């Protein structure tokens, strides 16, 4: 699939300015885009991810996405490439190990993209998908006017990233702010990460469904998604409401702890679970008033993300933005 967004700038004008190429690698799709220096998406393509395929098969689709981008006339103005990928990632090594792409374990994605013929020596930046979302929301979204922010993706997992003193804070490996795997329940369930009582195990979409089912909620059909639980919660089902309240409490504890550590002033929440709207945000704000009790954290606000499905590509472009002034291949910012 290849399509142009409404309001695309005139090609002749765009060619006079450096552009950014963006690649967003997920378990269901691999997307590519061309963006200007203001974060405007000028062109997008996407292909399905062969998530159960071999490492080479998955990389072949990344290559196809780059090929599609390179056919566009604007490619001549691309000066840097940014990649946001499902993780974990290691931005120093340039590798990714997405949980939802089993064949990629320590896969050298940054160097593979840099070696693509269309990239041809352009500098390449790599970051995790939640960090890319954070960069996007700070650049053009709900965190735009904040110098200190936590941005979360709450979906089948819980990922997050940090903005500190106006800059993206990735940490040495690129995983700083990984809120989904802090413990908020000391006696909670063992987590696949090796810890116990992780926030992700209480607040992800999967966890919300599990809590609702354990509480006696039964779906009307075969839809057991967090969205179906949200619909039941709006209709007043007590187990569904409890599942979202429990998720909101876990998120509030994690967000408040982050605010206490690094004095963020806003938390931006995106991902599929955030689509529940007030079913999530009302109890989240209520619990946050309890957990963020210290005066320097009490002003903390919580807001929905603004960029939706564009966040991955805008964020990947944001990761590459500093490279416009640098000739080297680097990891992250």
């Amino acid at each position: 699939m290849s399509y142009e967004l409404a309001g695309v700038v005139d090609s002749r004008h765009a060619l006079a300015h450096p552009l950014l190429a963006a690649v967003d690698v997920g378990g269901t799709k691999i997307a590519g885009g061309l963006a200007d220096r203001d974060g405007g998406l000028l062109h997008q393509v996407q292909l399905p991810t062969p998530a159960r395929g071999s490492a080479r098969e998955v990389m072949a689709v990344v290559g196809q996405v780059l090929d599609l981008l390179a056919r566009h006339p604007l490619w001549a103005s691309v000066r840097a490439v940014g990649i946001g990928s499902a993780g974990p990632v290691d931005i120093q090594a340039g590798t990714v190990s997405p949980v939802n792409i089993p064949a990629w374990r320590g896969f050298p994605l940054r160097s593979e993209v840099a070696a693509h013929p269309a990239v041809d020596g352009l500098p390449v930046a790599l970051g995790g998908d939640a960090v890319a979302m954070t960069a996007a929301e700070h650049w053009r979204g709900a965190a735009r006017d904040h110098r200190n922010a936590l941005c979360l993706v709450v979906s089948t997992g819980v990922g997050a990233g940090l903005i500190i003193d106006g800059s993206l804070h990735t940490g040495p490996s690129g995983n700083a702010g990984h809120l989904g795997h802090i413990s908020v329940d000391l006696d909670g369930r063992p987590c696949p990460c090796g810890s116990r009582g992780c926030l992700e195990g209480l607040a992800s979409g999967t966890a919300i469904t599990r809590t609702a089912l354990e509480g006696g909620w039964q779906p009307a059909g075969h839809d057991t998604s967090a969205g179906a639980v949200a619909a039941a919660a709006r209709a007043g089902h007590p187990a569904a409401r409890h599942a979202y309240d429990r998720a909101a409490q876990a998120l509030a504890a994690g967000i408040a702890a982050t605010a206490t550590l690094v004095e963020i002033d806003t938390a931006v929440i995106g991902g599929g679970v955030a689509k529940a709207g007030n079913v999530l945000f009302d109890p989240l704000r209520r619990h946050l008033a309890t957990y963020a009790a210290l005066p320097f954290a009490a002003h903390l606000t919580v807001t929905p993300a603004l960029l939706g499905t564009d966040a991955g590509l805008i964020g990947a472009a944001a990761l590459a933005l500093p490279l416009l002034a640098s000739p080297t291949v680097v990891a992250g910012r």
Side-chain angles (χ1 to χ4, degrees):
M1 177 178 67
S2 176
Y3 57 93
E4 306 274 354
L5 296 184
V8 172
V9 297
D10 183 88
S11 296
R12 291 166 297 178
H13 173 77
L15 284 168
H17 301 277
L19 300 180
L20 302 158
V23 178
D24 178 24
V25 179
T28 59
K29 65 179 176 64
I30 297 172
L34 302 177
D36 61 28
R37 296 186 65 159
D38 296 321
L41 287 175
L42 310 178
H43 177 63
Q44 293 188 51
V45 300
Q46 73 176 48
L47 295 171
T49 304
R52 299 296 168 182
S54 69
R56 286 292 113 199
E57 288 171 337
V58 181
M59 186 60 214
V61 176
V62 175
Q64 291 168 24
V65 166
L66 289 168
D67 289 338
L68 289 171
L69 291 177
R71 292 173 191 166
H72 195 282
L74 293 176
W75 182 264
S77 290
V78 170
R79 296 294 177 266
V81 181
I83 312 165
S85 174
V89 304
D90 184 335
I91 62 172
Q92 287 192 342
T95 60
V96 301
S97 302
V99 173
N100 48 9
I101 304 177
W104 276 10
R105 291 294 173 267
F107 185 78
L109 180 58
R110 189 179 63 212
S111 62
E112 289 282 339
V113 168
H116 189 279
V119 176
D120 192 26
L122 294 173
V124 180
L126 172 68
D129 51 3
V131 171
M133 175 267 192
T134 299
E137 290 291 337
H138 185 237
W139 194 14
R140 290 182 58 89
R144 187 170 186 172
D145 296 326
H146 297 273
R147 289 186 57 79
N148 299 282
L150 173 70
C151 297
L152 299 95
V153 180
V154 187
S155 186
T156 52
V158 177
L162 286 166
I163 301 294
I164 298 178
D165 290 335
S167 297
L168 186 67
H169 178 72
T170 64
S173 71
N175 295 290
H178 199 356
L179 197 68
H181 290 286
I182 67 166
S183 294
V184 294
D185 183 358
L186 298 183
D187 298 314
R189 290 185 176 94
C191 179
C193 78
S195 186
R196 178 180 290 275
C198 288
L199 187 152
E200 182 171 290
L202 290 167
S204 69
T206 304
I208 288 169
T209 295
R210 183 180 61 233
T211 302
L213 290 170
E214 290 175 350
W217 172 70
Q218 294 181 343
H222 297 290
D223 185 0
T224 58
S225 67
V229 179
R234 290 189 198 96
H237 194 290
R241 291 174 64 86
H242 170 72
Y244 267 91
D245 185 77
R246 183 67 168 150
Q249 184 181 18
L251 286 168
I255 292 167
T258 305
T260 303
L261 284 172
V262 295
E263 294 196 53
I264 58 168
D265 48 52
T266 192
V268 175
I269 302 181
V273 170
K275 295 178 181 178
N278 289 339
V279 170
L280 174 70
F281 284 95
D282 285 351
L284 174 54
R285 293 184 176 111
R286 185 180 71 251
H287 287 300
L288 196 59
T290 299
Y291 285 101
L294 291 170
F296 66 85
H299 67 287
L300 178 65
T301 61
V302 178
T303 185
L306 293 180
L307 298 178
T309 57
D310 287 339
L313 285 177
I314 294 173
L319 296 176
L321 184 62
L323 303 186
L324 291 180
S326 170
T328 58
V329 176
V330 303
R333 289 192 169 200

